[in-house]
Amino acid sequence: MMSVVDFQPVDRKSTAEMIADRLRDAIMRGSLAPGAQLGEADLAAQFAVSRGPVREAMQRLVSEGLLHSIRHRGIFVIELALDDVVDIYRARTALEGGALELILDGRREIAAAALAPSVTEMTARAEAGDAVGVSDADQAFHEALVRSSGSPRLVRAARTLLIETRMCLGALQTTYPDLREQAREHVGLREAIAAGAPERARKLLVEHMSDAVERLRPQISS
């Protein structure tokens, strides 16, 4: 028999959680720039809430590594140095490589279908010269890749990594003289998964991650 526990009633998404979602999205899209300071009072006024939920939301993002606190100065959006970028893509290679192995072990059709919309969108945005649209589709592709693994733990682990990656994509999109090249990399990976070519799929994923780091090296200070 379960012991009596004083559980709180189940409720809809909390105010702090909704604020954290908004801040997370603003960081991901660059509306809150790297290094920007977040003011608790200012944010409370903008969200029309008390300072408590804002404080809780910011602490959530500090624990996720998207904000950092400097004693006696305040809370700031993280700034990614070259070492951080290398580490992000190294971690992504391991995580998405694990997702790819699960996909290749009986989930290829699921993944091919899940990746199709982002590949179509990326190709169309590249043809239109829409660099921001290509970056959005790039993000959607990798989110779909991890989801297609069927592993909720990989999905959770990828969450912060992909947000940090989105912070890099603004710089990355300026390194492709032809956006169609960025799209073709993703088309090739999806085709290798759909065709059941495991060695090629693994090779393309590793090369894609390594290429991103090399393209970003001149853009980001060490």
Side-chain angles (χ1 to χ4, degrees), residues 29-30 39 41 66 73 82 100 129 136 147 170 193-194 215:
R29 297 189 173 278
L66 297 176
R73 288 189 57 197
L82 181 57
L100 181 60
D136 287 342
R147 283 198 308 271
I193 290 170
R215 288 177 181 275

Side-chain angles (χ1 to χ4, degrees), residues 54-107:
V54 171
R55 187 180 308 117
E56 182 182 340
M58 290 197 295
Q59 288 305 318
R60 289 185 185 208
L61 299 193
V62 168
S63 68
E64 291 177 13
L66 297 176
L67 300 178
H68 67 110
S69 178
I70 301 178
R71 192 175 181 183
H72 304 311
R73 288 189 57 197
I75 293 180
F76 300 81
V77 178
I78 60 167
E79 296 181 87
L80 298 176
L82 181 57
D83 285 348
D84 297 312
V85 172
V86 171
D87 192 47
I88 288 166
Y89 278 91
R90 184 185 294 120
R92 282 189 61 196
T93 300
L95 191 149
E96 294 188 40
L100 181 60
E101 291 306 315
L102 292 173
I103 287 167
L104 294 172
D105 186 22
R107 300 182 65 87

